[in-house]
Amino acid sequence: MRLSRYFLPVLKETPSEASIVSHRYMLRAGMIKQSSAGIYSWLPLGYKVLKKIENIVHEEQARAGHMAMLMPTIQSADLWRESGRYDAFGDEMLRIKDRHDHEMLFTPTAEELITDIFRSNVSSYKDLPLTMYQIQWKFRDERRPRFGVMRGREFLMKDGYNFDLTKEDALHAYNRHLVTYLRSYERMGLQAIPMRADSGAMGGDDTHEFLVLADTGESEVFYDSEITDLTFGDRAVDFDDVAQCAAVMEEFTSRYARTDETHDEALFMQVPEDRRRTARGIEVGQIFYFGTKYSEAMGATVQGPDGKVVPVHMGSHGIGVSRLLGAIIEASHDDKGIIWPEGVTPFHCGIVNLKTGDAEADAACQALYDSITALGLEPLYDDRKMGAGGKFATMDLIGLPWRITVGPRGLKNGVVELTSRRTGESEEMPPEQAVLRIAQIYGKAA
Ligand code: ATP
Ligand code: MG
């Protein structure tokens, strides 16, 4: 993409309504535009990152054998009366009437609808286990929408649902989700710590929230610092292997890590003092096992191997896809702008032409652009006719992890400059070498 043709409405001034850094940078980098309180348009740059995050989620769910589907945003109130949540959700639910006076609502989550799909189509244990998920817009009429996409009213969520015959099977599904989430967040360049949480309006027993540590987080958290040494890395996990998934769960949840809702001071005091940490965190996901709460209320049953008809055991699992953009920026930025982790960056690298219009510089930039594109990567080429300072400022603000700078002086010596956004370190090298480095960074064969 050429920057001269790209819709990138960068703001010079810091917008006054933005009180935290991620919101400020998302507005300044032209990623989002508020349309009304807590409701945003996603401009091209923001939309690209949103799609990258979605893709990671899809890939990791597919790896575990979970099936993608899509349910409607507008749902009938009747289903929600069956579970009792039409009233329980209160003012957070956006209620709508159609022209026939039917009561409808904009989905805040989808346990009821998926349970209805299940009960209409599944009646035997032979069709279990079953896990399906969607990535769909949700609406919650939050009392205080704020911090940009972090607490919106309309937001994109991955919501997944498992149906199992027994509690043991459903707990395996729970563990399997934990594994997929750990890997997903790490691919986004985040450390998201599973913490024991409160099940709130969902009801049920087991639940963990995934928290990204950040001073601007809305949750107060308490944890054993040993937990921050854990990484999931590139382990191969057999998702059918119950013991293996349980071992990962054990490894990542056995140390003390809780949100304020479940915090137990006496237990916390058993953590050695030098490892005790209190901090703030951003909730980027949550997994639940809630047993037969919905299946009993809504008649989602199967015939078991013994011929008896029993309610299925269920869980649901959410990732805050749109909130993640804010969380990633909170965790990865400096005073010049965003620093995207390679896994979610909107463009793989920037190419800055220091002298647009100079035949040699133009040709060298075009050649770099073509070679990088041929690798299956997307460069953003700043071909605008303006000073270098402004170009660097834009690149720094929008946070592409790598920048190749091309100018007549360097080209005389046969070199361009490769700069890491994260460290600020620059290295001169021939253009072909820069392409090779970019290829290596993104695991492409040059
Ligand atoms: P919170 O406690 O932050 O209000 P929640 O626990 O009510 O969130 P869940 O029902 O667990 O939310 O939804 C799954 C995920 O969706 C959350 O972990 C969070 O990342 C995201 N999410 C929830 N509410 C919002 C919102 N208003 N704006 C953006 N993302 C949200
Ligand atoms: Mg939650």
Side-chain angles (χ1 to χ4, degrees):
M1 177 57 66
R2 285 168 178 270
L3 197 40
S4 61
R5 294 178 198 162
Y6 199 59
F7 184 65
L8 187 72
V10 164
L11 307 179
K12 287 211 175 60
E13 304 297 318
T14 296
S16 59
E17 75 264 34
S19 62
I20 63 169
V21 69
S22 57
H23 189 195
R24 278 203 292 278
Y25 283 155
M26 285 185 78
L27 291 172
R28 282 195 49 211
M31 297 177 68
I32 50 168
K33 161 104 173 65
Q34 182 174 306
S35 94
S36 46
I39 303 178
Y40 292 87
S41 295
W42 293 79
L43 307 185
L45 191 74
Y47 186 62
K48 253 175 157 336
V49 181
L50 193 67
K51 285 284 153 191
K52 292 261 170 123
I53 293 174
E54 268 191 53
N55 280 344
I56 291 175
V57 172
H58 279 306
E59 284 174 15
E60 294 308 322
Q61 292 306 305
R63 206 191 282 273
H66 302 161
M67 285 163 277
M69 63 175 311
L70 193 60
M71 290 179 274
T73 54
I74 307 290
Q75 305 182 356
S76 158
D78 291 341
L79 266 184
W80 288 72
R81 289 207 174 86
E82 286 188 50
S83 70
R85 285 208 298 180
Y86 189 62
D87 295 322
F89 241 94
D91 287 341
E92 276 201 7
M93 183 180 271
L94 181 65
R95 296 154 209 262
I96 304 164
K97 270 195 185 153
D98 70 9
R99 64 163 71 193
H100 306 293
D101 243 16
H102 290 148
E103 289 180 284
M104 316 287 285
L105 55 92
F106 197 110
T107 180
T109 170
E111 280 80 5
E112 283 74 2
L113 197 56
I114 192 99
T115 306
D116 182 54
I117 292 169
F118 180 90
R119 71 180 172 187
S120 314
N121 294 286
V122 180
S123 54
S124 163
Y125 76 97
K126 289 180 189 147
D127 293 325
L128 303 182
L130 184 61
T131 296
M132 296 188 280
Y133 76 95
Q134 65 173 349
I135 297 180
Q136 177 64 294
W137 293 94
K138 304 293 185 305
F139 195 95
R140 293 183 188 172
D141 205 350
E142 300 274 354
R143 183 186 297 275
R144 275 188 74 198
R146 56 186 180 150
F147 302 156
V149 299
M150 294 257 255
R151 184 164 297 283
R153 293 198 294 166
E154 188 186 56
F155 59 97
L156 192 59
M157 193 209 283
K158 172 265 174 183
D159 44 324
Y161 306 88
N162 67 281
F163 300 89
D164 289 277
L165 180 62
T166 63
K167 178 171 180 176
E168 291 67 43
D169 293 348
L171 288 177
H172 172 54
Y174 187 84
N175 297 345
R176 213 169 55 223
H177 279 86
L178 179 115
V179 174
T180 64
Y181 281 23
L182 289 172
R183 222 182 125 97
S184 302
Y185 296 123
E186 276 192 21
R187 284 186 58 189
M188 298 171 200
L190 282 177
Q191 179 166 49
I193 304 170
M195 300 200 181
R196 180 157 289 287
D198 189 59
S199 54
M202 290 289 177
D205 316 321
D206 283 308
T207 181
H208 282 87
E209 285 180 355
F210 290 77
L211 286 115
V212 173
L213 300 177
D215 294 340
T216 48
E218 291 186 285
S219 317
E220 187 172 26
V221 299
F222 304 83
Y223 62 96
D224 176 342
S225 66
E226 268 192 3
I227 209 160
T228 54
D229 299 335
L230 293 175
T231 52
F232 186 76
D234 205 22
R235 318 176 189 196
V237 171
D238 175 356
F239 285 98
D240 292 329
D241 186 332
V242 173
Q244 202 185 1
C245 292
V248 175
M249 164 63 78
E250 171 70 15
E251 179 185 351
F252 280 84
T253 63
S254 56
R255 292 175 186 77
Y256 192 93
R258 295 189 179 200
T259 62
D260 49 2
E261 292 163 343
T262 53
H263 178 57
D264 179 330
E265 191 65 19
L267 265 182
F268 190 45
M269 286 305 137
Q270 291 173 20
V271 177
E273 193 178 353
D274 59 324
R275 295 196 335 231
R276 252 180 255 150
R277 299 281 187 283
T278 305
R280 310 223 35 110
I282 302 167
E283 182 195 331
V284 292
Q286 187 162 12
I287 54 178
F288 295 93
Y289 162 70
F290 44 66
T292 57
K293 174 183 153 117
Y294 295 92
S295 52
E296 276 187 58
M298 297 181 65
T301 55
V302 292
Q303 189 165 47
D306 56 2
K308 268 199 213 135
V309 174
V310 290
V312 288
H313 287 258
M314 293 174 59
S316 72
H317 316 277
I319 293 183
V321 174
S322 51
R323 176 179 287 181
L324 272 162
L325 277 94
I328 293 168
I329 297 171
E330 289 297 324
S332 184
H333 67 269
D334 63 14
D335 54 2
K336 294 187 207 138
I338 302 164
I339 306 174
W340 290 116
E342 271 99 5
V344 298
T345 184
F347 293 95
H348 297 95
C349 67
I351 301 172
V352 170
N353 188 340
L354 291 178
K355 201 163 183 198
T356 301
D358 175 274
E360 222 189 316
D362 290 356
C365 285
Q366 189 62 49
L368 278 168
Y369 187 91
D370 293 341
S371 311
I372 293 167
T373 305
L375 294 169
L377 298 173
E378 270 189 295
L380 180 66
Y381 171 22
D382 193 345
D383 60 338
R384 295 173 300 171
K385 284 203 160 122
M386 60 182 276
K391 291 188 175 184
F392 290 149
T394 301
M395 283 293 172
D396 285 346
L397 174 64
I398 69 173
L400 309 185
W402 298 93
R403 186 185 80 208
I404 304 174
T405 309
V406 181
R409 202 179 315 153
L411 288 176
K412 277 207 180 67
N413 302 318
V415 296
V416 297
E417 198 180 59
L418 181 66
T419 307
S420 156
R421 174 71 182 84
R422 192 168 292 281
T423 65
E425 278 164 32
S426 290
E427 238 184 287
E428 290 193 332
M429 59 189 76
E432 309 76 54
Q433 183 70 27
V435 173
L436 214 80
R437 287 279 296 277
I438 296 290
Q440 280 165 355
I441 287 162
Y442 291 103
K444 302 279 179 186

